[in-house]
Amino acid sequence: MQSIPGPAHAVVLRHPHSRAGAPLSPSGAELLRIISDPSMLVFLTVHTGGRRRYSYWQPFEPRTGRGSCYVALPTELCDMLHSSGRITLGEPLVDSTRTTYRVGLAETPVAPRRSLRTGALAA
């Protein structure tokens, strides 16, 4: 009888040069645009052996005749966005050979609003 390996789990990788406020490269900005698009659901699949793959389903585009396929995203860049706090992973969906996470944009904390003094508005 063969033993079934345990579920794969995502590990937060630390990128040595990642900073939440660091400017993004054009490819990083494009990844954030894809992840923020509600029509393109992005997932991270972690296979039992540890292989990680970020991908999304590209719908068919009749204008170009392209699509209806999965598109892989650059793993190293996505891991950098995750370790810098720009993207987050949702709840894991676990099966015997892989674990899948929904990828989303990290929520940006809103700065507190300054209250207006009533006397400052008098003209």
Side-chain angles (χ1 to χ4, degrees), residues 19-32 77 80-81 84 86:
R19 291 188 328 241
L24 282 176
S25 65
S27 55
E30 177 64 11
L31 279 177
L32 289 180
L77 186 52
M80 187 274 305
L81 291 173
S84 67
R86 293 181 188 248

Side-chain angles (χ1 to χ4, degrees), residues 15-102:
H15 192 273
H17 304 291
S18 65
R19 291 188 328 241
L24 282 176
S25 65
S27 55
E30 177 64 11
L31 279 177
L32 289 180
R33 186 196 66 76
I34 290 170
I35 293 168
S36 68
D37 186 341
S39 69
M40 295 185 191
L41 302 179
V42 178
F43 295 92
L44 165 63
T45 302
V46 182
H47 295 271
T48 304
R51 184 171 62 99
R52 304 162 63 82
R53 175 64 62 200
Y54 292 84
S55 62
Y56 69 95
W57 177 256
Q58 183 177 20
F60 181 72
E61 175 58 53
R63 212 177 52 224
T64 62
R66 298 177 69 189
S68 292
C69 60
Y70 283 100
V71 177
L73 299 171
T75 303
E76 185 176 301
L77 186 52
C78 289
D79 282 341
M80 187 274 305
L81 291 173
H82 181 241
S83 67
S84 67
R86 293 181 188 248
I87 61 175
T88 60
L89 303 179
E91 293 297 316
L93 176 64
V94 180
D95 68 24
S96 61
T97 60
R98 65 183 172 239
T99 302
T100 305
Y101 300 85
R102 172 77 162 87

